[in-house]
Amino acid sequence: MKNKLLLLALFIGFSKAIYSQSTCNTAITITAGTYNFASVNGTEVPTPVCASGGAGATAGYWYKYTPTQNYFVTITTDFPINNGIDNRVHIYTGNCGSLSCIAGDDDSGSGLLCVASFNATANTTYYIAFDNLWNNSGFTFELIEGTPPPAPPVTFSPQSFSNIIGDYKIAVADMNGDYLDDIVSVSSNNIYILYQQNNGSFNAVSFTTTTAANLPSWSMAIGDYNKDGYNDLLYGGGAGVSFFYSNNTGTSYTHFTSGNYVFSQRSNFVDINNDGHLDAFVCHDVAPNVYFLNNGSGGLTFHQGGMGDHVEGGNYGSIFIDYDNDGDQDLFIAKCRGGASTAKINELHRNNGNGTFTNVSAAANLNHPNQTWSSAWNDFDNDGDMDVIIGVTSFTDGGNLYMSNNGN
Amino acid sequence: MIRKLIITSLFILLANLIILTNSCNKENPNDPNPLPEDTSVNVNLSQVPYDSLSSYRFFIGDIKNLTPNNGVIPYEPITGLFTDYASKKRFIWMPAGVKATYQGDGELLDMPVGTVLIKNFYYENFLPQSVKKILETRLMIKKPEGWIFAEYKWNDEQTEAILDTDGEYLDISFIHNSETYNTTYRLPSLTECMVCHKHYDIPIPIGIKPQHINKNYNYSDAGVKNQLQHLIDVGYLEGPLPNNINTVVDFKDDTQPIELRIRSYLDMNCAHCHAENKHCSYRPLRLAFSETTNRTNMGLCVEPQEIINPSQVYVITPGNYNKSMMYYRMNSVDESNRMPLLGRTIVHKEAVDLLKQYILTLSDCN
């Protein structure tokens, strides 16, 4: 009697407990619905890996699915009954032994549960495989057949550049003045440039340099401060700033550092003193901001003071914009610091046009204590002046802000 | 009458000056009766920091032996700050007639004006010569207006250390636990000292809290003794202290519970920023020893606010160190990803292993 009851319970159960198979070839066909299984214990490990987390799984659990019409299919394990389980899914097309990834996921659900969606084509067979990279537990999952979202009016395709080398792959700039953006990456003894060609291909050139005293682990800026037609580089490190300036044929780069301690959260090439020569500004995380004034023949002199002078720093994201439409570049600093420190209060500095700046944060109503790392300036409301979206890194002291420029 | 007094005073002053001058002038062969040279610790608060470490006379004999002068008391935290496997010798000195007071188990001792904390950084097996080498000595000196930092860089001859306020990189090689390390060691600038050693913008020490030094130490003159008791006995600390001080453990002591060990480590290495009202308090972590009794404060099942890789689902993911941001950051040497931010350029393997073991003991978010 007990057995019969159990059997009955199984039959009317919410989910269909079926025996899936342990390899791709023996995967059992499923349709839309909810399923569960006890353990990821199949002998064939899903390959290739279609989700984050990499290789290392030792077992899989296989299903296959062939839609009768086109669907937007979601495989979800995001159910409270699965709480505490860490699973991973891979979805393939092709033939067993030579499968191709269509979709995959590790942790998009709540907690560590996986959820993956893909556009399924009628009469195509898809293999759905879970693996045991994180644990062996079985779980409940559902296959949902939905309507595909409308096709976007414009789509983008990823482009890959297999030959970008160097430890810091963080810059794109026109390095040789041919109006084509190039890809720049650097290491302590090299500058690597992928020069873009007219046909969209790239020509790789490696420049050997003397050892950089500071590496761009925190920031990088590019600008032609020696005015020879070839862009120069600024490496903002955790304890100082290095410059590499071009020779006048763009065929070698020479190192310069002032040796001063700077925790460079952000750096900008900008004409600070309106003398027509590009200077360099560097945001200091833990002290007043610093800048390097250009003497007009490429010589840079270190200065500290006058452009954000809080003794504790707190400077994370500097950006130069003309917020008052007077034709010179003003400075906004996104700031951040824990506790009650006033170093977290954002700052706006008006360029006085003579190499000096005035802190107008309070008057302009941009002196927010929000924990800020960045800001984006644009004329968002199309009224002829620059507005700002201020982005926070933590909601401890307030959220993201949109501040509209009143034009006064 | 007043004038006479002034003149008399001037005479006495002048006489003193002459005596002082004579006592300083050791080269004078005609001086029949030189005063004995002052060999006691020399901390003139209006003149520190001195240009050289030897000027303080903290150490007697060959300075590189770091043999403490009278009143220079060694101490050692139970779990220390990791700085690229450098060994450390720490001392405290106070002027006569003043002493520190207890403020709480996890609070800094309230130290009197004139206190100096002395921390020497060295490697036992420094390459290429495979010798002991002292790289730097960091002082914190309490002046009437507050604590100041003074950083001294040792010379290659190990005969002197010179004031160095701007910071410097040193390319070094050393052997630790039979393994050779090559790295670029950082001597901190005063600004870097301040990043960790502060309460708001006021400079403060970190390690000299009862919960960190409540342990026995083998003194050369007093034998094995509790460090707090010794400070009381030498007159540096007002006693008695509470009987049950909530004390950290040595993170390397595998007889202790693993959670207590990792909490002790996180306090000394992280809590100067990740605690209430500190440098990084806008992040949810609260890593002071008194705060990590709550595992959520330690980051258990807390989503990171800055995403480096979506695989790091939580700061600490139960049972899975590969998905734990804390593990990732402590295992990184990249300047913009590693934690702690300052003070290390190589991975502290023992600590990372301990964190890994700890994470593996956790099975859920509670």
Side-chain angles (χ1 to χ4, degrees):
Chain A
M1 182 60 188
K2 243 184 199 170
N3 275 350
K4 268 191 188 167
L5 265 181
L6 201 65
L7 214 57
L8 196 65
L10 276 175
F11 267 108
I12 55 178
F14 151 77
S15 52
K16 301 167 215 173
I18 59 168
Y19 291 100
S20 171
Q21 302 302 316
S22 71
T23 66
C24 177
N25 276 319
T26 54
I28 270 189
T29 300
I30 56 173
T31 55
T34 303
Y35 304 87
N36 67 41
F37 62 96
S39 175
V40 182
N41 57 8
T43 51
E44 184 174 345
V45 178
T47 313
V49 171
C50 311
S52 63
T58 56
Y61 210 73
W62 293 80
Y63 295 91
K64 63 181 175 182
Y65 160 70
T66 309
T68 54
Q69 61 182 82
N70 292 352
Y71 285 116
F72 182 68
V73 171
T74 297
I75 306 288
T76 177
T77 67
D78 194 359
F79 301 109
I81 194 173
N82 293 335
N83 276 354
I85 288 169
D86 187 358
N87 51 19
R88 190 165 75 149
V89 66
H90 313 270
I91 295 154
Y92 305 104
T93 54
N95 298 314
C96 291
S98 61
L99 298 167
S100 307
C101 286
I102 291 295
D105 185 55
D106 187 5
D107 294 319
S108 293
S110 42
L112 305 171
L113 299 171
C114 61
V115 178
S117 296
F118 60 102
N119 282 306
T121 307
N123 303 316
T124 302
T125 296
Y126 296 89
Y127 290 91
I128 298 156
F130 300 96
D131 73 21
N132 71 337
L133 180 66
W134 306 118
N135 54 47
N136 294 317
S137 307
F139 44 83
T140 295
F141 73 94
E142 185 178 7
L143 188 156
I144 303 164
E145 291 176 336
T147 314
V154 173
T155 59
F156 295 85
S157 326
Q159 304 294 307
S160 55
F161 299 90
S162 56
N163 52 348
I164 302 181
I165 49 178
D167 296 334
Y168 299 90
K169 307 173 180 73
I170 52 175
V172 170
D174 174 9
M175 295 301 285
N176 54 358
D178 64 358
Y179 302 103
L180 295 169
D181 278 337
D182 309 311
I183 298 173
V184 184
S185 58
V186 308
S187 294
S188 58
N189 290 98
N190 286 92
I191 296 170
Y192 305 99
I193 304 179
L194 292 180
Y195 289 104
Q196 189 176 173
Q197 309 297 301
N198 281 317
N199 64 2
S201 67
F202 288 83
N203 178 30
V205 178
S206 169
F207 299 91
T208 301
T209 65
T210 53
T211 304
N214 304 282
L215 286 164
S217 45
W218 290 95
S219 75
M220 192 167 187
I222 291 181
D224 183 13
Y225 78 83
N226 64 2
K227 276 194 186 169
D228 63 359
Y230 295 91
N231 268 327
D232 312 302
L233 303 97
L234 183 165
Y235 300 178
V241 178
S242 283
F243 294 86
F244 280 92
Y245 58 92
S246 60
N247 65 357
N248 58 15
T249 52
T251 51
S252 76
Y253 292 86
T254 305
H255 181 241
F256 164 74
T257 181
S258 68
N260 298 84
Y261 169 73
V262 185
F263 185 164
S264 330
Q265 278 285 357
R266 193 75 57 89
S267 42
N268 317 80
F269 274 116
V270 57
D271 181 5
I272 289 171
N273 55 1
N274 297 319
D275 64 355
H277 306 296
L278 212 48
D279 311 302
F281 176 86
V282 185
C283 235
H284 202 317
D285 186 320
V286 294
N289 290 317
V290 307
Y291 50 99
F292 297 82
L293 289 182
N294 186 341
N295 65 4
S297 47
L300 296 174
T301 309
F302 176 87
H303 294 270
Q304 185 168 29
M307 297 183 75
D309 290 341
H310 198 291
V311 292
E312 281 188 79
N315 307 292
Y316 277 72
S318 51
I319 187 168
F320 286 82
I321 31 71
D322 182 9
Y323 82 94
D324 55 3
N325 282 333
D326 67 352
D328 54 32
Q329 296 286 300
D330 310 300
L331 166 64
F332 180 77
I333 312 166
K335 302 196 68 183
C336 174
R337 184 54 40 85
S341 168
T342 52
K344 66 187 168 189
I345 296 171
N346 291 340
E347 293 177 21
L348 178 68
H349 294 262
R350 189 182 64 229
N351 189 332
N352 299 320
N354 59 2
T356 67
F357 285 73
T358 302
N359 185 340
V360 295
S361 320
N365 195 24
L366 286 180
N367 58 338
H368 299 95
N370 303 36
Q371 300 288 351
T372 312
W373 277 11
S374 64
S375 66
W377 290 77
N378 208 330
D379 182 6
F380 295 113
D381 54 8
N382 285 322
D383 66 353
D385 51 36
M386 296 290 270
D387 314 300
V388 59
I389 291 173
I390 296 168
V392 298
T393 178
S394 148
F395 291 101
T396 314
D397 291 283
N400 299 315
L401 297 161
Y402 167 54
M403 299 296 290
S404 173
N405 190 328
N406 297 328
N408 52 2
Chain B
M1 181 61 186
I2 286 176
R3 180 170 291 182
K4 262 191 189 164
L5 262 181
I6 291 174
I7 290 171
T8 316
S9 306
L10 274 175
F11 264 109
I12 293 169
L13 200 65
L14 201 61
N16 278 339
L17 273 177
I18 290 164
I19 291 167
L20 272 175
T21 312
N22 280 343
S23 70
C24 292
N25 190 356
K26 286 181 287 183
E27 303 297 317
N28 183 357
N30 300 324
D31 187 344
N33 202 5
L35 287 180
E37 189 184 356
D38 187 356
T39 56
S40 61
V41 168
N42 168 36
V43 177
N44 182 333
L45 290 182
S46 63
Q47 288 173 16
V48 294
Y50 302 135
D51 290 337
S52 63
L53 183 63
S54 62
S55 303
Y56 297 89
R57 296 195 294 262
F58 290 132
F59 305 110
I60 54 174
D62 191 349
I63 191 170
K64 73 168 189 275
N65 295 331
L66 303 177
T67 308
N69 202 341
N70 281 337
V72 177
I73 309 295
Y75 73 96
E76 191 176 83
I78 295 163
T79 281
L81 173 75
F82 176 76
T83 45
D84 288 352
Y85 289 114
S87 298
K88 292 160 196 172
K89 273 207 166 93
R90 304 167 182 84
F91 301 90
I92 181 171
W93 178 86
M94 285 181 200
V98 291
K99 53 178 66 175
T101 54
Y102 166 90
Q103 302 289 305
D105 298 351
E107 302 294 324
L108 281 173
L109 296 177
D110 186 6
M111 287 165 273
V113 168
T115 302
V116 185
L117 302 173
I118 306 149
K119 193 174 178 186
N120 307 283
F121 291 65
Y122 63 98
Y123 288 95
E124 288 288 357
N125 196 342
F126 195 79
L127 298 174
Q129 301 92 342
S130 281
V131 292
K132 176 177 170 182
K133 180 154 186 190
I134 312 171
L135 296 183
E136 56 168 329
T137 296
R138 303 179 186 175
L139 303 185
M140 286 198 75
I141 305 170
K142 193 167 186 186
K143 290 190 166 195
E145 61 273 21
W147 291 97
I148 63 155
F149 307 106
E151 161 74 8
Y152 292 87
K153 180 189 174 189
W154 283 70
N155 61 13
D156 285 339
E157 300 76 32
Q158 303 281 280
T159 54
E160 182 61 285
I162 302 296
L163 189 67
D164 180 352
T165 55
D166 293 331
E168 201 172 322
Y169 286 117
L170 302 176
D171 288 325
I172 65 166
S173 301
F174 62 90
I175 294 175
H176 173 79
N177 273 351
S178 316
E179 198 167 330
T180 301
Y181 293 87
N182 300 295
T183 194
T184 304
Y185 185 95
R186 178 75 189 165
L187 300 182
S189 65
L190 297 188
T191 309
E192 284 165 286
C193 299
M194 184 76 173
V195 175
C196 300
H197 281 278
K198 70 179 173 200
H199 182 65
Y200 301 130
D201 55 354
I202 312 286
I204 54 164
I206 294 173
I208 196 143
K209 299 168 183 155
Q211 73 179 23
H212 287 304
I213 58 173
N214 181 27
K215 73 157 185 176
N216 285 342
Y217 186 90
N218 191 359
Y219 296 94
S220 59
D221 52 350
V224 175
K225 217 167 142 189
N226 179 279
Q227 295 189 109
L228 289 164
Q229 188 57 51
H230 190 62
L231 289 178
I232 293 171
D233 293 349
V234 299
Y236 278 8
L237 177 60
E238 184 76 50
L241 300 186
N243 284 328
N244 294 314
I245 290 173
N246 183 24
T247 304
V248 302
V249 300
D250 179 351
F251 88 101
K252 285 181 276 196
D253 180 356
D254 57 18
T255 67
Q256 295 289 339
I258 197 164
E259 186 164 49
L260 203 52
R261 292 165 64 197
I262 196 74
R263 286 179 53 216
S264 300
Y265 186 84
L266 294 176
D267 182 289
M268 186 52 108
N269 286 271
C270 317
H272 41 267
C273 285
H274 289 289
E276 204 59 47
N277 283 321
K278 293 293 189 173
H279 193 85
C280 275
S281 61
Y282 54 90
R283 296 293 183 222
L285 293 189
R286 294 291 179 272
L287 298 178
F289 191 62
S290 60
E291 297 173 307
T292 45
T293 46
N294 174 347
R295 288 176 175 171
T296 303
N297 282 344
M298 236 193 304
L300 180 63
C301 295
V302 173
E303 290 182 16
Q305 292 177 331
E306 186 192 2
I307 293 166
I308 295 175
N309 179 333
S311 289
Q312 285 118 32
V313 183
Y314 298 125
V315 177
I316 290 180
T317 299
N320 195 331
Y321 53 89
N322 282 314
K323 290 191 178 183
S324 299
M325 180 68 101
M326 185 183 284
Y327 181 84
Y328 175 82
R329 287 192 182 273
M330 281 173 61
N331 211 15
S332 170
V333 292
D334 181 292
E335 209 176 52
S336 58
N337 288 334
R338 74 184 176 213
M339 281 290 159
L341 199 57
L342 304 182
R344 76 165 178 90
T345 60
I346 54 187
V347 171
H348 190 187
K349 283 183 197 152
E350 294 77 8
V352 168
D353 281 347
L354 180 68
L355 179 64
K356 178 175 171 178
Q357 297 311 318
Y358 173 64
I359 291 172
L360 290 174
T361 67
L362 301 168
S363 55
D364 55 42
C365 292
N366 300 314

